Structures are given as structure tokens and as C-alpha cells.
Amino acid sequence: MLGFLKNPVVVTVKINMNLVALTAMGLISRLWGLSYPRAVVFDEVYYGQFVSLYMKRIFFVDDSGPPFGHMLLALGGYLGGFDGNFLWNRIGAEYSMNVPVWSLRLLPALAGALCVPLAYQILVELQFSHCAALGAALLILLENSLITQSRFMLLESILIFFILLAVLSYLKFYNLQRHRSFSGSWWFWLLLTGVACSCAVGVKYMGLFTYMLLLTIAGLHFWHMIGDQNLSNVSLMCHFLARGLALIIIPMAVYLSFFYVHLTLLYRSGPHDQIMTSAFQASLEGGLARITQGQPLEVAYGSQITLRNVLGKPMQCWLHSHTNTYPIRYENGRGSSHQQQVTCYPFKDVNNWWIVKDPGMQQLVVSNPPRPVRHGHIVQLVHGITTRYLNTHDVAAPLSPHSQEVSCYIDYNISMPAQNLWRVEIVNRESDTDVWKTILSEVRFVHVNTSAVLKASGLSGASLPEWGYRQLEVVGEKLSKGYHQSMVWNVEEHRYGKSQEQKEREVELHSPTQMDISKNLSFMAKFTELQWKILTLKNEDTEHKYSSSALDWITMDTNIAYWLHPTSGAQIHLLGNVVTWASANVAALLYTCLSLWYLVRRRRKIYDIPEDTWQLWVSAGGICVGGWAVNYLPFFLMEKTLFLYHYLPALTFQILLIPIVLQHLGNHLCRSLLLKSMFSALTVAWFSSVYLVYRTFSPVTYGEPSLSVTELKDLRWKDSWNILIRKQ
């Protein structure tokens, strides 16, 4: 029974020393001197602000993309004990001692280092030789631009890592497909593909390009499986469901989890709150929550309210009035009603308060029990301080002559009767009997007499002149002109009015609310709003000194100066390895020409290479050329400020193509022994030049040693490169 003890337990481990060596070299190239320079480098000034906000748990919105990449950078700060106290206001500013520079830069550097062995593994899984795989890894290792981008608190190296991990995982899954379907390793690599794709998208939306590429490739592979008569219908359905679960459902769940963690961590109010809805702001600790906590939930007749426009951009504003009237005649000669001005005011003010009145009753207080206002009810809105009624009529608005003027009605005893009835329409209602709710309900006010909708037109146009105190115009807009968010309002501050007398009411309007009703948004509601803001909120794109066009990237006609030492000539630039970039372009051109040649010849039933070689060639092109195309071509359609680092994911795929083309040329076009020997010698010479260029530009990749003026001028290989030279 114990016979198995007669023999020793033996564990055999196979270690790929190529992978070990490449990983070690990758770590050395990216981690060496990581804390240098101890100063803010280029976009660290941008991402560092978000890291500080994470450390302080303060909510923010970044329109550049999802939060996962920011959270990874913040994780580095957390592991280093960063307290978030640093003023990120200037590139080149020296870091204070409380900033853990090495820790903040660690995760991008690790991601960049691991891209080296990932490149090796991808070519192995594409069924190319270990020599070609080694060449691809070394090209990634010696690419100056990838080294520079991975050594600072930036996101591109993390994005490229997850992109390559997703590609490798899918290739491993696909290669297991033929013999080990539904095995543990098969499921592992399939699930890892989905998770890695989700992580890539979660770092930057550029990751979506590679995700769509892999979904397309997976779809093509499944299409071929449908034609396999050896697979039953049940088996095909299981394969389809497995791919749907791993490549669509799980990535969506993982993507949602990024936002869940993001919103859980950032629970405090901050400077970015104002672009969110009142409901979102009220869910954060501090800020609006301190004002709105304890407000009554249901708006009733007699309620005292402030109305915030839902659009919230370019600034938030509240429905407002004051004692001043519209001028009798405007500068262009048009006349007005000369009634009390109604505007949208971008600051909190006592003149933002309005009272919801029942047109059939005179009282301006809430009855007991309160009578809630519902969708479709007719109301009058009484300005709290001046007690005049919100009104609109067939008079042209001051800045928008095709829209109606909105005013607070003054009776001048002329033939201009009051038209102050408004129908409440709850836009986000669940039923036609919904109650108008504080913060949660988004409402339109439709004028009963003219069917015009109350609109903050000033959010999309100019502000009023001096007579309107530069406040934003409010108009009555015809529904026929279409729906716009500037027509939607929500109650932000709310109390139940108790004072019928005007003097007592004015005191009441200045006092805080006391009632205790909680208004918490669900996670999905907060996610939906935040996701929409990220996708639609765009800062004004301004021309940057180092911005470039997508055409400049292929030939590297541009560079970016990341950092300059305050006294010496030491500097860091985003500059690629010229030989590698040129070789990548040549490889892509050769691949395209050879593929077209083979296709034409195959159409004529002439087969220059074996079928299995052709399939490998096509598969490699789908990954490498496809990866380059989907990560590069979309930039021609984007209206945003572009920089050289946007090209790095596409470049990475193009670099992987170089050894693939070289192996193909050596194996199938160099047929004689002499040609093979010459080709090998040329390849060695070419690779030596790659290393030589890497060494030449290392001083501006790592920032040291400091170079003299003459040495810096010698590095300016192109007139379009901006190498910084101090005036003597």
C-alpha cells in the first residue's frame, strides 16, 4: 500500500531561459534610475492631479477616458504612502520629499518591461521560430520611445501591456482549440482574453480598437467552425455561448467594476461636481450634500425651490430673476415688454428661489397634508423675493429673436395680459402619475398659452449685455424646434413654505432646511451619468507646441520634449529608434506587396508557398497589420489634439511584423545557401544598427548623461525635431 514511497517524488520544471533573460533585460531597461529626474515630466502634471484626488477621496471626471488607468497610477502612490499633497501646476517642478516618485512610476515601468516577453510569446504562438520571436522582443526592448513612455507616470505602457496580453491570451486559446476544447487551460486563456480586453479599454478608449479586432478574428474563427461537419449543433452552441460569456459579458462586468471601485473610492465632493446633476452632487459627501441633506422629497403646491438647468455646460446655472427690467429698446432697435428680467445665473443666490403655486388658490404655503405636484399638473412659478409670476408671451427674446421673451409679469395696464400658466412634464418619469421629486426628477415647463418650453438658451450662446449683468438668457422655445437638454430643469434646493407674509417669507428663504429625507442614487444611475459625461464632455482643444498630425508619426517627423534640466543640458525626449521605425514601415509595405502577389498568383492556381505557410502568413497579418491599422487609421477621423505617443500602440504591432517578414524572406525567397548567408549577414548588420541608434539616443531617453551643445546638435537628425539647446 505504501509502495509509492519507495521512489522519490520528482518535479520536473521546464524554464524558457529566453523568457527569463528577456524579462530581466526589460526590467533593467525600464526600472534603472526610475526616480530620475525627481521632477514633474510632461503629462505627469496632468495624471498627478488625479492621483492626488484619489489619495484624498475627492470626486473628479476625466474626459480622456475611463478610470482604471488612473486607479493603477493611484495604487502606486498608495503603496508608496503618498498623501496627495503636491501642487501639480508646472512641468519641471521639483517633487517634494513626501512624493514617492519611484513608487508612482513603478507600475507603468513594470508594464513596459513585461511587454518584452509578451512580444516573444506572441510570435511563438503565431508559430514562428524562436529566433524571430527573440528578434521581436529585442526590438521592443531597444525601442527608445517605448522606454521613455514607460518610465514615467503615464498610461501608454499600461495600455500596450493589456493589448499584448489580450492578443497573447487569444492566440493561446485558439491554439488549444483543436485538441483541448473546454479544458481548464482553454477556459483560462479565453477568460483572460476578455479580462485583458476590458482592462485595455478601462485604461484608455484606444483599447477598444484592439478589442474590436479580436472580436472580429474570433467571429471569423467561429464562422470556420460552423463549416466543420465533425462538430455537432450542441457543441457549436456551447462554443458560441462560451465566447459570448468570455468576450462580451465578462468584459462588460469587469468594465462596470472599474467604475464601481472608482465611485466607491471617490465619495467626497470636489471641484468637478458642478458638471454633474444635482442628484449626483447630493450623493457625495460635502458640497451640495450639506445643503440638500434633509430636504423634502416631493414637490408640493407652496414649495420653495431653486431650479438648476440639467445641461450644466459650459457652466451650471439656476433660474433667476431680479427687480431690473428689460430695456424698452435694445441696441438693434427692437422693442421689449419692459417687464422684469428672467435669466439663468451661474451662482447660488437668494433670487434663485421660486414658489410653486396652485393657479386656483392664492396661498403660497404648503398645506397639511402637502398636495404633491404630479406630471401634467398646471402650476404658476412665483419669484420668491419680488413675488412676480414667471411669464412668457409673443415678444421676441433679447438675444434670440426667433424665440419668446421670458419675464416676470408686471401689469402696466396695457393690452398685454399675464400668461403665467406652465405645465409640468417629468422627462424621466416611469408613469404619467409620477410625483415631481427634488433632485431626482428632470422636468420641462411647457407654457399653456403658446406651448413654448422654458429654455436656458444662454448656455449655447452669448450672455446678456451690461443691462442684464452678463447673465445667461432664458427664452420660451417652440417644441417644434426639437428637444435639447437646456430645456430640462431639476429642483436642487427645496423647502416647504410656511410663511404667507412676504417679510417672513424672505427670512424663510435665507434659512436652511431641516427635514430629513434621504436621496441616494443607485450605482447604475451614477455609472450611466458619469459614463455619459466622459463621452460627451470635451475640453476645448487648444494647439499645443508639441501636437502633431497622424501623418507625421509614420516617418517620425515630430518629437516631444518631456523634460529639461534647469541648469545643464540634460533632457528627455519622446523619440523613437529611427532604424526600427523605418524598418517597420518597410516591413508593412513588403507584407502588403507580397500578400497581393500571392493572392493574384493563387487566383491563377499558382502556389508559391505551402498552404500551412500561407495560413501562418495570413494569421500574422491579421494580428500585426490589423493591429497597426485599427490603432492608427482612426486618428485621421478624430477632432482632438494629437501627440506622437498616440502612435505607440500601432507602432508596437508594426514592430512585431518586422521579424515575421524577415523570417519569411529568409525561408522562402532566399533559396540558395549563398543568398541565405548574405541575408543572415545583412540581418545581423541591420540589428547592430538598431542597437547603435538605441545607444546614440539613450542620453535623451534616460535624461543622462548631460550632453554638450555640440552633442545635442548632432542628435538633431531631422530639421523638424525640437532638440532643446540653451543659449550661451
Side-chain angles (χ1 to χ4, degrees), residues 50-279:
F50 302 130
V51 172
S52 287
L53 291 173
Y54 270 117
M55 296 301 104
K56 298 177 180 180
R57 304 293 189 266
I58 295 174
F59 175 77
F60 68 86
V61 180
D62 178 19
D63 66 344
S64 69
F68 182 54
H70 301 76
M71 288 193 290
L72 289 177
L73 296 180
L75 176 62
Y78 174 78
L79 295 175
F82 183 40
D83 56 10
N85 291 321
F86 183 76
L87 187 61
W88 308 88
N89 62 349
R90 181 173 59 86
I91 297 173
E94 290 291 324
Y95 283 120
S96 54
M97 293 308 297
N98 69 305
V99 181
V101 180
W102 191 87
S103 180
L104 285 169
R105 294 172 178 171
L106 176 62
L107 289 179
L110 287 176
L114 292 177
C115 288
V116 177
L118 283 177
Y120 175 89
Q121 285 285 81
I122 286 172
L123 259 71
V124 170
E125 293 300 322
L126 282 171
Q127 311 300 320
F128 287 89
S129 68
H130 284 271
C131 183
L134 186 63
L138 290 175
L139 287 173
I140 297 292
L141 176 72
L142 300 177
E143 174 47 47
N144 299 71
S145 61
L146 294 177
I147 295 173
T148 300
Q149 200 68 16
S150 63
R151 285 174 50 81
F152 303 107
M153 192 171 43
L154 308 171
L155 293 181
E156 275 66 32
S157 63
I158 301 175
L159 171 65
I160 294 170
F161 166 75
F162 283 118
I163 285 174
L164 294 182
L165 180 61
V167 171
L168 174 61
S169 301
Y170 182 79
L171 290 174
K172 282 186 171 289
F173 151 76
Y174 178 72
N175 290 334
L176 288 168
Q177 175 69 42
R178 301 166 191 168
H179 310 295
R180 299 175 62 186
S181 293
F182 299 104
S183 63
S185 55
W186 184 91
W187 274 109
F188 172 79
W189 291 112
L190 178 60
L191 292 171
L192 185 58
T193 303
V195 171
C197 285
S198 186
C199 290
V201 176
V203 172
K204 278 196 169 187
Y205 283 127
M206 284 174 62
L208 190 63
F209 303 146
T210 303
Y211 179 37
M212 299 308 295
L213 173 67
L214 290 178
L215 282 180
T216 303
I217 292 173
L220 290 173
H221 287 163
F222 184 73
W223 179 254
H224 291 307
M225 289 179 65
I226 293 175
D228 188 349
Q229 298 298 319
N230 296 321
L231 293 174
S232 66
N233 291 339
V234 174
S235 179
L236 279 174
M237 181 56 66
C238 290
H239 277 285
F240 178 77
L241 292 176
R243 285 160 174 77
L245 172 68
L247 299 181
I248 297 176
I249 304 300
I250 289 180
M252 290 174 63
V254 173
Y255 182 78
L256 281 173
S257 71
F258 298 149
F259 282 85
Y260 183 83
V261 175
H262 176 74
L263 291 169
T264 301
L265 290 174
L266 306 183
Y267 59 86
R268 291 177 179 156
S269 174
H272 291 203
D273 298 1
Q274 62 179 351
I275 65 173
M276 310 303 290
T277 63
S278 301

Side-chain angles (χ1 to χ4, degrees), residues 434-473:
D434 272 13
V435 174
W436 184 8
K437 295 177 180 177
T438 306
I439 290 179
L440 303 178
S441 294
E442 297 180 352
V443 301
R444 287 188 307 192
F445 297 99
V446 182
H447 191 237
V448 173
N449 298 74
T450 64
S451 297
V453 181
L454 189 68
K455 176 183 178 181
S457 60
L459 287 172
S460 55
S463 56
L464 294 169
E466 289 295 336
W467 54 258
Y469 302 102
R470 299 294 178 185
Q471 295 175 19
L472 304 178
E473 182 189 45

Side-chain angles (χ1 to χ4, degrees), residues 494-519:
H494 177 209
R495 64 168 61 84
Y496 282 163
K498 300 176 182 178
S499 304
Q500 185 68 32
E501 294 297 324
Q502 177 62 14
K503 289 188 178 295
E504 295 177 1
R505 191 183 306 122
E506 289 186 19
V507 174
E508 190 176 26
L509 289 173
H510 284 88
S511 63
T513 57
Q514 298 297 327
M515 297 183 68
D516 187 17
I517 295 178
S518 176
K519 296 175 282 294

Side-chain angles (χ1 to χ4, degrees), residues 319-337:
L319 189 66
H320 175 95
S321 187
H322 40 243
T323 56
N324 299 72
T325 59
Y326 291 110
I328 297 176
R329 291 203 173 275
Y330 301 123
E331 290 83 348
N332 59 9
R334 287 192 298 111
S336 78
S337 66

Side-chain angles (χ1 to χ4, degrees), residues 467-496:
W467 54 258
Y469 302 102
R470 299 294 178 185
Q471 295 175 19
L472 304 178
E473 182 189 45
V474 172
V475 301
E477 187 74 275
K478 294 293 185 183
L479 271 174
S480 59
K481 294 189 177 180
Y483 168 81
H484 192 267
Q485 269 196 310
S486 57
M487 297 178 174
V488 183
W489 307 79
N490 71 272
V491 173
E492 187 170 270
E493 297 179 65
H494 177 209
R495 64 168 61 84
Y496 282 163

